[in-house]
């Protein structure tokens, strides 16, 4: 497996040199300075790739080329935006970068309610708390019909929780939910998010799925011609928020995506933490079923709670069978090698990490993307990979 690290570009406080010191050999990054919907110029992508190469690292996955909401709703100037997306794929292909991770989440990207959840060892993790989310949705955002999306037990807890919140705690919760998290796309105000939510609710699940498939029909042929694999990231969390439709949350969702556009260039990102936030997603079975179309892996673990809440645990200490998942992925790599396929080694990265030690005092550390937390995660995952390879030789 290709040991990779997410880098947020030249402005990232974690330098390419530090990434090499962590033992990573590959970089996962994006052109963060280019506005969503604009074309990625070939010259700029190549220049960024040359900078990464000069550091002794290899850019193996674009994460991501963000999709404008107009593409997801097929409204506004979506046709022009799709053409721009095609050009960006061509630029990536000409730069020799083999994969593009993207997502089709409506309105909000990956969502957490608490960015500094205190763990037993005093490090800080990311957490999604359903009670807090419901408190925001029903009592702060006051979304029409919101109370219909929660059980009575959750509503009662949310009401009590909201009554205990001070103004600053309320504002922090809102910021965590709608202001945009690292690698996500954009931010909203309370009023603008209501408008966006209503648009996607009106579209519905099948409408959103239809728009995803139409997008893939348009761009997958370009990816094929450019030598680029597209790998869709799952919804995070993999269930409805704000009553919004979800179309990349389960194994059945994946089957529909891969079947609708049956091309080797149409693949998936197996994010263990996202899919694993649902207890009915069997990650090992998904790796075995979809192995040939897995082009990128996020190795992250979670501890699930009965009401749908979860927090991000240590990489090897959660409800997901990380050892079993890695073993299935290594098995897929062996299959590819025996079949003589060109793309054998699967890019992986330690996804998110706890905030710990001196980094707690540092400014500018992106939630989930601390250096020490991810370094620890990568080291643990590397140990599992080496042990399994040894056992299978």
């Amino acid at each position: 497996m290709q040991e990779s690290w997410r880098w947020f570009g030249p402005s990232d406080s974690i330098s390419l040199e530090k990434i090499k010191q962590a033992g990573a050999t590959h970089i996962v990054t994006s052109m963060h300075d280019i506005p969503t919907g604009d074309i990625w110029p070939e010259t700029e992508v190549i220049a960024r790739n040359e900078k990464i190469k000069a550091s002794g690292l290899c850019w193996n996955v674009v994460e991501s080329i963000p999709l404008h909401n107009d593409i997801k709703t097929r409204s506004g100037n979506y046709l022009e935006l799709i053409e721009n997306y095609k050009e960006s794929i061509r630029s990536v292909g000409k730069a020799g970068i083999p994969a593009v991770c993207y997502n089709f989440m409506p309105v909000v990207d990956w969502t957490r309610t608490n960015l500094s959840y205190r763990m037993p060892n005093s490090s800080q993790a990311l957490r999604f708390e359903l009670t807090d989310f419901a408190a925001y949705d029903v009592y702060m955002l006051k979304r029409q019909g919101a109370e219909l999306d929660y059980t009575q037990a959750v509503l009662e807890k949310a009401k009590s929780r909201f009554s205990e919140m001070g103004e600053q705690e309320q504002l922090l919760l809102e910021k965590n939910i709608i202001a945009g998290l690292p690698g996500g796309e954009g931010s909203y105000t309370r009023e603008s998010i209501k408008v966006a939510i209503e648009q996607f609710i009106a579209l519905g699940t099948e409408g959103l799925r239809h728009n995803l498939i139409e997008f893939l029909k348009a761009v997958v042929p370009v990816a094929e011609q450019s030598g680029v694999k597209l790998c869709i990231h799952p919804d995070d969390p993999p269930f409805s928020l704000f009553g919004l439709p979800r179309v990349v949350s389960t194994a059945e969702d994946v089957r529909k995506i891969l079947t609708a556009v049956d091309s080797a260039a149409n693949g998936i990102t197996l994010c263990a933490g996202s899919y694993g936030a649902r207890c009915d997603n069997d990650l090992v079975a998904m790796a075995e079923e979809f192995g040939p179309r897995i082009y990128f892996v996020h190795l992250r673990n979670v501890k699930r709670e009965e009401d749908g809440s979860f927090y991000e645990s240590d990489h090897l200490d959660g409800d997901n069978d990380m050892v079993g998942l890695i073993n299935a992925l290594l098995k897929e790599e062996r299959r590819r090698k025996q079949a003589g396929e060109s793309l054998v080694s699967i890019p992986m990265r330690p996804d998110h990490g706890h905030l710990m030690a001196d980094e707690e005092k540092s400014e500018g550390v992106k939630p989930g993307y601390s250096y020490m937390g991810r370094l620890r995660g990568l080291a643990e995952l590397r140990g599992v990979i080496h042990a399994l390879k040894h056992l299978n030789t």
Side-chain angles (χ1 to χ4, degrees):
M1 301 183 79
Q2 295 175 2
E3 296 182 13
S4 311
W5 190 280
R6 189 166 194 178
W7 182 57
F8 289 92
S11 64
D12 196 332
S13 61
I14 300 171
S15 65
L16 293 171
E17 182 182 28
K18 286 184 177 180
I19 292 170
K20 282 188 70 176
Q21 290 172 359
T25 54
H26 291 72
I27 290 294
V28 173
T29 192
S30 181
M31 303 295 291
H32 300 93
D33 52 329
I34 299 179
T36 297
D38 286 5
I39 294 172
W40 285 18
E42 177 186 335
T43 55
E44 292 188 28
V45 180
I46 291 174
R48 182 64 55 84
N49 196 23
E50 290 303 314
K51 179 180 179 65
I52 293 169
K53 285 181 180 178
S55 73
L57 296 163
C58 176
W59 186 359
N60 61 347
V61 180
V62 169
E63 186 176 5
S64 59
I65 306 177
L67 270 81
H68 197 284
N69 272 340
D70 285 356
I71 292 178
K72 299 173 187 176
T73 58
R74 292 181 77 79
S75 62
N77 64 336
Y78 75 92
L79 290 174
E80 178 184 346
L81 290 166
I82 290 176
E83 290 305 312
N84 289 354
Y85 207 95
K86 291 177 182 179
E87 285 302 312
S88 296
I89 291 173
R90 292 186 181 104
S91 295
V92 168
K94 288 174 182 176
I97 305 159
V100 171
C101 172
Y102 68 101
N103 80 69
F104 217 75
M105 286 181 257
V107 186
V108 287
D109 209 291
W110 67 285
T111 304
R112 302 293 184 270
T113 57
N114 188 341
L115 308 184
S116 54
Y117 178 65
R118 191 65 70 173
M119 298 288 286
N121 66 0
S122 294
S123 63
Q124 296 177 34
L126 304 177
R127 176 176 173 81
F128 177 84
E129 169 59 57
L130 184 62
T131 297
D132 284 7
F133 189 89
Y136 176 75
D137 191 14
V138 176
Y139 298 107
M140 285 187 68
L141 187 62
K142 298 180 180 178
R143 177 174 63 88
Q144 185 176 5
E147 64 279 358
L148 300 177
D149 291 331
Y150 305 97
T151 65
Q152 191 59 39
V154 169
L155 288 172
E156 290 175 2
K157 289 181 181 178
K159 184 176 182 180
S160 175
R161 178 77 178 95
F162 182 72
S163 68
E164 297 169 353
M165 289 184 190
E167 182 180 0
Q168 290 304 311
E169 191 175 4
Q170 291 178 14
L171 292 176
L172 178 60
L173 177 63
E174 181 167 60
K175 179 182 177 182
N176 291 346
I177 293 174
I178 73 172
L181 291 174
E185 183 48 35
S187 62
Y188 292 91
T189 64
R190 204 174 295 181
E191 291 308 311
S192 66
I193 199 171
K194 280 184 179 180
V195 174
I197 287 170
E198 289 173 2
Q199 186 179 22
F200 278 96
I201 288 178
L203 190 61
T205 298
E206 291 311 313
L208 184 62
R209 194 188 322 274
H210 171 269
N211 292 353
L212 168 59
I213 291 169
E214 290 302 307
F215 166 73
L216 288 172
K217 287 178 179 178
V219 301
V220 165
V222 176
E224 291 173 341
Q225 296 161 7
S226 303
V228 172
K229 306 292 189 186
L230 300 177
C231 37
I232 192 166
H233 187 284
D235 304 318
D236 186 6
F239 44 80
S240 178
L241 301 178
F242 296 126
L244 292 165
R246 292 297 216 194
V247 295
V248 198
S249 292
T250 66
E252 183 57 27
D253 289 335
V254 174
R255 292 183 194 106
K256 290 178 179 179
I257 293 166
L258 299 185
T259 302
V261 183
D262 189 9
S263 164
N266 179 29
I268 68 169
T269 295
L270 183 59
C271 178
S274 297
Y275 282 122
R278 289 180 66 121
C279 62
D280 57 345
N281 279 335
D282 184 332
L283 297 180
V284 175
M286 291 177 73
E288 292 172 345
E289 179 178 355
F290 306 123
R293 303 277 276 275
I294 294 173
Y295 301 131
F296 187 31
V297 180
H298 290 175
L299 294 178
R300 172 167 65 83
N301 221 327
V302 295
K303 283 279 191 179
R304 298 185 295 264
E305 298 173 16
E306 191 172 343
D307 68 351
S309 302
F310 60 88
Y311 65 87
E312 300 193 16
S313 60
D314 292 329
H315 284 74
L316 301 183
D317 180 30
D319 291 323
N320 296 329
D321 179 5
M322 195 63 70
V323 175
L325 173 59
I326 291 172
N327 194 45
L329 294 168
L330 292 174
K331 181 179 179 181
E332 167 60 19
E333 288 187 337
R334 293 194 298 272
R335 184 202 65 78
R336 294 180 184 186
K337 185 176 181 179
Q338 291 170 359
E341 296 181 12
S342 57
L343 181 62
V344 173
S345 189
I346 299 172
M348 74 82 164
R349 68 173 176 86
D351 194 14
H352 301 171
H354 294 169
L355 187 64
M356 60 179 69
D358 289 344
E359 278 191 299
E360 287 196 33
K361 304 170 187 176
S362 302
E363 295 183 1
V365 179
K366 292 178 172 60
Y369 291 94
S370 68
Y371 180 67
M372 295 180 69
R374 286 187 289 165
L375 186 150
R376 176 186 172 182
L378 181 58
E380 292 176 343
L381 296 168
R382 181 184 298 130
V384 172
I385 292 168
H386 280 231
L388 289 171
K389 282 185 174 180
H390 177 75
L391 289 172
N392 287 310
T393 54

